[in-house]
Amino acid sequence: MISWILWSSLIVIWFSFLMVMLGMNNRKKNIVLGIQIPTPYEESEEVAYILKKYRRQRNVWAVIFFSLSFIIFLFHHFTLIYGYFLIYFLTIFVFSFWVNYSNQRQLKDLKRKAKWISPSTNIRYADTKLSLDENGPQLPRIFWMFLPLPLIVMPFFLYRQEDLFTALLIPGTTLFLWALLLFVFMLFRKTPQKIYTGDTKKDLYYNSIFKKRLLWASILTLWYFSLSNLLFAYMLTRTSFLQSPHLPLFIGIVSLCSGIFFVASFLWNQHTLRKIKIPAFLEEEAYDTNVAGMFYFDPHNPKTFIMKSNGMSSGVNLATKKGRVYMASTLGITFLLLVGILFYLIGNDLVDPHIDFFEDHLRVQSFDYKDTLYYRDIEEIYLVDQLKYGYKSSGSATETYLRGNFFYKGLGKSRVYVFRDHPPYLIIKSKNKTIIFNEKSAQNTLALKEALEKQQTKH
Amino acid sequence: MLLQLNLQSETPIYLQIRNEIVRGIGEGLLEENEPLPSVRQLARDLSIDKMTVNKAYQLLKEEGFIQIDPRAGTRIKKIAPPDENTLTDLAASLKPILLSAKAKGISWPTFINLSSQIFCKGEYK
């Protein structure tokens, strides 16, 4: 099941990068692969050759990476499945960047050698009204989106151990309500909105034509992410991740809804873009700012956050120091999180849970959980052959093990250190907590029970 | 009003800004008491140095086109009726242009026709 979930994520990633490549190939007047080529040279043989090469590379890339995605089904251990997912994600990013960037580089070299330079390069514009500081408020900057960040992050640390659902529900709801508040605020205020792109002519155009569409699309995207966060929280916690008989149906519904939303967003974006008729003056772009279809780099624009001229929401100008720091930290945090999870899984694989006996207490320890139990507090020790239906509150539940806080019918809140499908399971009940533990071999579990009973009778 | 600068032009940038604003006033695109962007903002939007914009604004202030108030910001000044000094300055500016035209053999009616077109329509065609 987990292979199917991660495989569908791989396909979404593959599709996203394919869309970037198709977008790059989308011919507009004066723009080839995101590089401005003046009209007379657009149809030249050199440009046609690079385009043909790019299309061939893109097709090969698409087939290879689509085929590579199926390798995930060869792995049966969760750490390996996740490791492959991570490697695939990083590889597809590097390769897509390389294919796009190398072809752009060739076009730029060609343009420079042949001196195909647009005469409008050195013309700058500013509008006396739009440049006024006190002129209408701007679209919310990224700062406002992250204002409730403490509220989003804090519950995760406060409730992570106790209840992961609360830990994820509060941030999700906060983000959702914040997006709603921003949206209502922007919809009903009377002052005109100002969209900054860093280019005054574009500002004038955007403000007059499609600012509302941009706004709607940005807000809807934010809503989608907050809602999917809630769904994800629900999926992870309120149903036992791998034990519930309704899991396939639930994942199916969530995937279907996500799919419908994904397709609807795509169609909406396409519809919006088709509606926009780019006026001639906007096509006289002064600088090549597109880097591999993924990043924006304009040393002549002092603004860090820019509104995308093609596509929705805002982008980051990597030519500014703030932009570089922002992008590096965003990518860095994502990378660290993804790699962190891998190390967490490897840690869990390497360190098996074990029980240590001391003078008056015992200690149960795994890679990320630890419990101390005094012998005098132990009320009951017994074995069961099967764990009944329950759900995870926090911790990890893979196909091979369960670790963390779970809730089981009849046992209540329990701390679980269990290898799946390795009965019997040792239940240790005390005044305050219930621990469920087993070893990989049934004999060891039985031996452990005896040792524990000995210690209990001693005290 | 849309200000346009050409960075490759031989005319200094501060002078281009000054000329553009004067053109705006002359063509009625900038009205009396209309606010102008701050030095910082205009410099940001044009991606040029603040000192360049400041220099242009100081020149416009000296020439009596704008007033700079630290609180109210920069605004287009109410243009006073031309006095003797204004006419003397204008004559001094026109003199080399008129003499140059005469030296190039441009007739008086042609010059008047050209001047009236620029004066009334803002451009010559």
Side-chain angles (χ1 to χ4, degrees):
Chain A
M1 177 55 71
I2 199 73
S3 305
W4 278 100
I5 296 169
L6 287 179
W7 178 77
S8 54
S9 302
L10 286 187
I11 290 300
V12 170
I13 291 168
W14 173 82
F15 186 69
S16 311
F17 280 105
L18 184 66
M19 289 316 292
V20 169
M21 288 182 151
L22 289 173
M24 284 266 291
N25 193 32
N26 195 4
R27 288 287 291 274
K28 286 180 211 152
K29 199 186 165 199
N30 290 354
I31 295 179
V32 180
L33 297 182
I35 303 292
Q36 295 150 65
I37 304 289
T39 313
Y41 313 110
E42 264 183 293
E43 306 297 330
S44 66
E45 274 181 30
E46 296 100 315
V47 173
Y49 171 75
I50 293 174
L51 256 179
K52 196 177 161 189
K53 185 165 68 74
Y54 176 74
R55 282 178 194 144
R56 198 173 56 236
Q57 284 180 352
R58 186 200 59 205
N59 294 342
V60 171
W61 171 94
V63 171
I64 288 177
F65 275 98
F66 185 74
S67 315
L68 283 176
S69 71
F70 291 98
I71 289 180
I72 202 163
F73 292 111
L74 296 178
F75 301 108
H76 299 293
H77 193 277
F78 183 67
T79 310
L80 292 175
I81 295 170
Y82 180 78
Y84 182 74
F85 170 82
L86 195 62
I87 289 168
Y88 182 94
F89 180 61
L90 294 174
T91 318
I92 203 169
F93 176 79
V94 171
F95 268 83
S96 317
F97 185 87
W98 176 75
V99 169
N100 291 347
Y101 187 73
S102 60
N103 284 287
Q104 274 191 338
R105 194 76 242 167
Q106 279 193 3
L107 264 180
K108 277 186 181 175
D109 288 345
L110 181 69
K111 193 176 151 185
R112 197 174 55 246
K113 277 180 198 159
K115 294 187 177 165
W116 295 343
I117 294 163
S118 170
S120 64
T121 310
N122 287 297
I123 306 292
R124 302 239 176 117
Y125 300 92
D127 186 83
T128 50
K129 281 197 172 64
L130 272 175
S131 293
L132 283 177
D133 289 339
E134 62 271 32
N135 188 60
Q138 299 167 21
L139 273 179
R141 292 197 172 203
I142 205 100
F143 166 76
W144 292 106
M145 298 289 178
F146 288 105
L147 192 67
L149 199 64
L151 255 178
I152 292 169
V153 175
M154 252 170 53
F156 186 75
F157 289 105
L158 289 177
Y159 297 105
R160 187 175 61 89
Q161 287 284 328
E162 295 302 318
D163 187 353
L164 192 68
F165 183 62
T166 315
L168 290 171
L169 180 77
I170 295 177
T173 318
T174 313
L175 195 66
F176 180 79
L177 290 176
W178 184 248
L180 188 73
L181 191 76
L182 276 179
F183 173 70
V184 172
F185 170 70
M186 300 206 62
L187 196 68
F188 290 105
R189 66 181 176 178
K190 288 170 188 167
T191 43
Q193 285 141 25
K194 180 179 177 183
I195 296 172
Y196 259 129
T197 62
D199 182 327
T200 314
K201 278 199 166 185
K202 281 186 185 174
D203 290 347
L204 283 168
Y205 176 66
Y206 288 148
N207 278 287
S208 61
I209 306 290
F210 74 117
K211 62 183 178 187
K212 275 188 185 168
R213 284 171 181 276
L214 277 173
L215 196 67
W216 271 100
S218 309
I219 299 294
L220 280 175
T221 313
L222 199 62
W223 277 8
Y224 171 68
F225 280 118
S226 17
L227 276 174
S228 49
N229 180 24
L230 288 180
L231 281 172
F232 193 60
Y234 188 83
M235 195 173 86
L236 271 178
T237 56
R238 281 298 176 256
T239 59
S240 170
F241 191 47
L242 292 167
Q243 287 178 325
S244 163
H246 306 299
L247 184 67
L249 179 70
F250 185 75
I251 291 173
I253 291 169
V254 172
S255 311
L256 188 70
C257 292
S258 305
I260 290 171
F261 191 90
F262 189 74
V263 172
S265 315
F266 178 73
L267 291 177
W268 164 265
N269 285 1
Q270 289 299 313
H271 174 71
T272 309
L273 288 173
R274 265 201 303 274
K275 283 266 178 188
I276 302 163
K277 286 175 187 160
I278 305 287
F281 67 77
L282 287 186
E283 289 170 3
E284 295 168 8
E285 276 272 13
Y287 308 101
D288 289 323
T289 55
N290 182 327
V291 181
M294 300 176 192
F295 303 108
Y296 177 89
F297 185 92
D298 185 359
H300 303 285
N301 184 356
K303 292 184 172 68
T304 304
F305 296 104
I306 45 98
M307 195 60 71
K308 285 178 183 171
S309 58
N310 183 8
M312 298 302 156
S313 75
S314 59
V316 179
N317 183 8
L318 290 184
T320 65
K321 196 179 170 187
K322 270 187 202 169
R324 282 195 295 274
V325 169
Y326 178 83
M327 185 59 81
S329 49
T330 312
L331 290 179
I333 288 168
T334 314
F335 180 76
L336 282 178
L337 273 175
L338 289 171
V339 174
I341 291 172
L342 182 66
F343 276 103
Y344 173 76
L345 290 171
I346 292 172
N348 262 330
D349 283 342
L350 293 178
V351 182
D352 283 345
H354 54 276
I355 296 181
D356 297 317
F357 294 100
F358 295 95
E359 185 68 27
D360 58 346
H361 69 277
L362 62 91
R363 195 170 63 207
V364 193
Q365 200 168 358
S366 72
F367 180 67
D368 52 345
Y369 287 95
K370 192 167 79 176
D371 280 297
T372 304
L373 208 59
Y374 286 92
Y375 300 126
R376 61 174 182 273
D377 293 338
I378 296 175
E379 289 173 344
E380 215 176 340
I381 302 167
Y382 61 94
L383 293 168
V384 290
D385 283 335
Q386 201 182 351
L387 285 173
K388 285 178 186 171
Y389 173 74
Y391 66 78
K392 188 181 80 178
S393 185
S394 65
S396 45
T398 72
E399 282 172 339
T400 44
Y401 57 77
L402 305 172
R403 308 261 163 83
N405 297 311
F406 285 67
F407 189 92
Y408 282 101
K409 275 182 186 170
L411 292 173
K413 237 174 145 180
S414 318
R415 183 83 88 165
V416 176
Y417 303 87
V418 154
F419 292 100
R420 293 169 72 97
D421 307 323
H422 284 81
Y425 304 99
L426 184 63
I427 314 287
I428 310 167
K429 272 192 164 184
S430 78
K431 282 175 192 168
N432 311 320
K433 60 179 100 174
T434 302
I435 293 173
I436 307 176
F437 189 92
N438 76 341
E439 296 274 1
K440 274 181 185 165
S441 85
Q443 282 178 339
N444 287 351
T445 311
L446 287 170
L448 192 71
K449 183 182 175 258
E450 279 172 22
L452 222 118
E453 280 171 341
K454 239 183 228 173
Q455 291 288 347
Q456 197 194 12
T457 44
K458 224 193 264 180
H459 294 82
Chain B
M1 177 214 176
L2 201 65
L3 300 178
Q4 184 176 326
L5 302 185
N6 186 351
L7 301 191
Q8 278 191 328
S9 164
E10 286 179 7
T11 315
I13 296 172
Y14 80 94
L15 217 51
Q16 287 188 49
I17 298 174
R18 178 258 175 209
N19 291 345
E20 283 288 284
I21 289 174
V22 170
R23 177 177 70 84
I25 299 169
E27 290 180 5
L29 298 170
L30 292 170
E31 291 171 359
E32 185 189 311
N33 213 29
E34 187 173 322
L36 284 176
S38 67
V39 170
R40 186 182 57 86
Q41 192 60 44
L42 192 59
R44 267 175 70 96
D45 287 354
L46 288 167
S47 304
I48 55 173
D49 196 86
K50 274 191 286 186
M51 294 305 289
T52 312
V53 180
N54 195 34
K55 198 171 172 184
Y57 274 17
Q58 288 303 325
L59 185 62
L60 285 162
K61 187 187 167 190
E62 281 167 23
E63 290 177 338
F65 290 112
I66 61 170
Q67 55 187 10
I68 302 171
D69 186 323
R71 283 186 183 177
T74 310
R75 286 174 184 276
I76 302 293
K77 202 174 172 182
K78 186 180 178 183
I79 307 296
D83 57 7
E84 197 58 38
N85 285 342
T86 316
L87 291 175
T88 315
D89 288 348
L90 184 65
S93 310
L94 277 175
K95 195 176 173 183
I97 299 169
L98 272 164
L99 292 176
S100 159
K102 199 175 173 182
K104 284 177 181 169
I106 295 169
S107 69
W108 179 241
T110 311
F111 188 85
I112 289 294
N113 180 29
L114 191 145
S115 305
S116 64
Q117 278 194 47
I118 294 172
F119 195 88
C120 300
K121 296 177 190 170
E123 57 185 9
Y124 170 71
K125 277 189 181 175

